[in-house]
Amino acid sequence: MFSKRAPAPVPVPAPAPTVTGSEHWSIPRGLIVLLGAAATVVAVAGMKGFSGILGPVFLALMLTVAVQPIQDWAQKHGWPKWLGMLGALVTVYLILIGLAASLVVSTAQLATILPEYSDKMGALLDEARSSLASFGVDTEQIQNTVSSIDLTKVLGVVETALEGLLGVFSDLVFILALLLFMAFDGMSIRSRLHILAEERPEISYALSTFAKGTRKYLVVSTVFGLIVAVLDGGALWLMGIPLPILWALLSFITNYIPNIGFVIGVIPPALLGLLEGGPWLMVWVIVVYSVINFVIQSIIQPKFVGDAVGLSVTMTFLSLIFWSWVLGALGALLAIPLSLLVKAVLLDIDPATRWADILISGPKEVAKPPDAVEEPEVDEEPPEEQSRVNTEPTSG
């Protein structure tokens, strides 16, 4: 009765037009590298131009990260948020004000004792002149060499360097104000990071990695810096070097400077040892400093730090040079935390770029892949035994 209607044909979409090589356009990879390098140069020049502002801001950020566990501990134990904020703020204020006051007093003491070494310096130069003459050195050459040496100027350079270190805290009011504002923000940082972890887990991972690594580095460097300061100060006091507390404080501060901090800390007491007791006392100061700092900073301390920093020795040294050039003395003190911040923002934040950690991090033990686990050996049956079993009739 009714004829069966054929189903309507399904429309087939037209194939997408193929894009030929001449129509497809993309930026060459080499040009991308050049643009990235140019942007890096502009960013670094901007940081160097605003180093007077960025330096204190970075210092306040590092100190806030260091004392943030105080606020977290207070909130976990049900204390009011304002109480944890007050505890963190008081702690960091005491640290900054104490360091600044100690540097002011010690630098003033150094300025008062420097004129006392003028006569000792003259006697030391006369002794050096006679020693060179006894070895047959020409008198005119001796005069030219000795006249170019002025230990008072050298110690003046040391005093200038200490004043420059004190200049780190010259913006103390600005830093204290920044710490106050950051401490207020720290009361809600846990809840904000929790939301961030749900919305952007990669960013949360990068920031948490930076905070944990920086905090561990600062804590370990502080503890070992105190140990080095006590040992250096005690040794200098026993050897009769003037102002041992100042040089112990300098050893504590330079412990935050990687690679060359020990060299900076030993120069002033060694020069005073030369003026106070002659070359042998200077040699003893250098030997004692070298032994203490090598054992603690090169053997013991790295075992506690472990891979928290995540930077190789070469990258650590380059970070020191770079940040010292960009931010000055503050850059030298905060070279490692600043490098960790850049690493977190540029590398850890994107899974596609985390492979670079393999190149810039320290040596790591290569884990054995699961597929390479050796299986227990199984004794194989002899060929004749296998053929016998295979030829035996199976019972029905």
Side-chain angles (χ1 to χ4, degrees):
M1 295 179 56
F2 297 98
S3 61
K4 190 177 290 186
R5 181 180 297 179
V10 179
V12 179
T18 58
V19 179
T20 61
S22 59
E23 296 176 354
H24 182 71
W25 181 84
S26 63
I27 301 178
R29 188 178 298 273
L31 182 57
I32 294 176
V33 173
L34 290 177
L35 291 176
T40 302
V41 171
V42 173
V44 171
M47 288 191 296
K48 186 173 177 60
F50 289 93
S51 59
I53 298 177
L54 290 180
V57 171
F58 282 139
L59 177 60
L61 177 61
M62 298 305 129
L63 292 174
T64 303
V65 170
V67 299
Q68 183 61 35
I70 298 177
Q71 295 199 45
D72 296 339
W73 182 86
Q75 294 182 21
K76 288 180 180 179
H77 288 75
W79 291 11
K81 292 183 178 181
W82 64 267
L83 191 58
M85 183 271 294
L86 185 62
L89 196 61
V90 170
T91 301
V92 73
Y93 275 11
L94 290 177
I95 293 173
L96 278 179
I97 296 175
L99 284 176
S102 301
L103 283 175
V104 168
V105 174
S106 300
T107 305
Q109 292 178 349
L110 178 63
T112 57
I113 69 170
L114 283 181
E116 301 176 3
Y117 289 97
S118 299
D119 297 336
K120 293 183 179 180
M121 180 199 63
L124 186 64
L125 292 178
D126 292 337
E127 183 179 353
R129 186 183 296 109
S130 60
S131 299
L132 291 174
S134 63
F135 285 102
V137 183
D138 186 22
T139 307
E140 185 178 356
Q141 294 180 355
I142 296 175
Q143 187 65 29
N144 294 333
T145 303
V146 172
S147 61
S148 62
I149 299 175
D150 191 352
L151 293 182
T152 304
K153 293 182 179 179
V154 175
L155 290 176
V157 172
V158 173
E159 184 181 3
T160 304
L162 290 174
E163 292 175 354
L165 184 61
L166 183 61
V168 170
F169 302 96
S170 60
D171 298 325
L172 195 59
V173 176
F174 178 51
I175 296 174
L176 294 179
L178 280 175
L179 288 170
L180 177 62
F181 300 142
M182 290 183 179
F184 274 110
D185 291 335
M187 292 190 296
S188 60
I189 193 64
R190 290 185 64 192
S191 58
R192 285 186 284 177
L193 287 178
H194 181 71
I195 298 174
L196 182 63
E198 296 178 352
E199 299 291 335
R200 294 289 187 271
E202 301 299 338
I203 299 178
S204 176
Y205 166 78
L207 294 179
S208 62
T209 301
F210 156 71
K212 291 178 182 178
T214 300
R215 196 175 294 125
K216 186 174 182 180
Y217 168 77
L218 292 176
V219 169
V220 173
S221 297
T222 300
V223 172
F224 281 96
L226 289 173
I227 296 174
V228 169
V230 171
L231 294 178
D232 287 345
L236 293 176
W237 177 73
L238 292 175
M239 288 186 288
I241 303 298
L243 304 177
I245 297 179
L246 170 60
W247 311 130
L249 181 62
L250 184 62
S251 296
F252 170 73
I253 295 175
T254 54
N255 189 63
Y256 293 98
I257 302 177
N259 302 118
I260 64 172
F262 151 69
V263 178
I264 298 174
V266 74
I267 292 176
L271 290 176
L272 282 181
L274 176 64
L275 295 176
E276 188 71 23
W280 281 110
L281 184 57
M282 180 184 69
V283 171
W284 274 111
V285 171
I286 296 175
V287 169
V288 171
Y289 256 67
S290 300
V291 171
I292 293 175
N293 288 269
F294 176 77
V295 172
I296 294 179
Q297 295 181 354
S298 301
I299 299 179
I300 301 177
Q301 183 172 344
K303 295 181 179 180
F304 285 86
V305 175
D307 57 349
V309 175
L311 296 175
S312 64
V313 178
T314 303
M315 291 302 301
T316 301
F317 181 72
L318 292 177
S319 300
L320 171 65
I321 300 300
F322 174 77
W323 290 113
S324 300
W325 175 72
V326 174
L327 299 179
L330 266 180
L333 292 174
L334 301 176
I336 299 301
L338 287 174
S339 299
L340 291 179
L341 178 60
V342 173
K343 175 176 171 288
V345 173
L346 298 182
L347 300 180
D348 295 339
I349 203 169
D350 188 358
T353 57
R354 289 179 191 166
W355 58 267
D357 289 345
I358 303 174
L359 301 178
I360 65 175
S361 62
K364 297 180 181 179
E365 295 183 0
V366 179
K368 196 173 185 180
D371 297 336
V373 178
E374 298 180 357
E375 297 181 357
E377 297 182 357
V378 179
D379 294 335
E380 296 182 358
E381 296 180 353
E384 60 272 15
E385 191 70 17
Q386 292 181 3
S387 60
R388 186 184 63 81
V389 173
N390 293 336
T391 55
E392 287 182 356
T394 56
S395 59

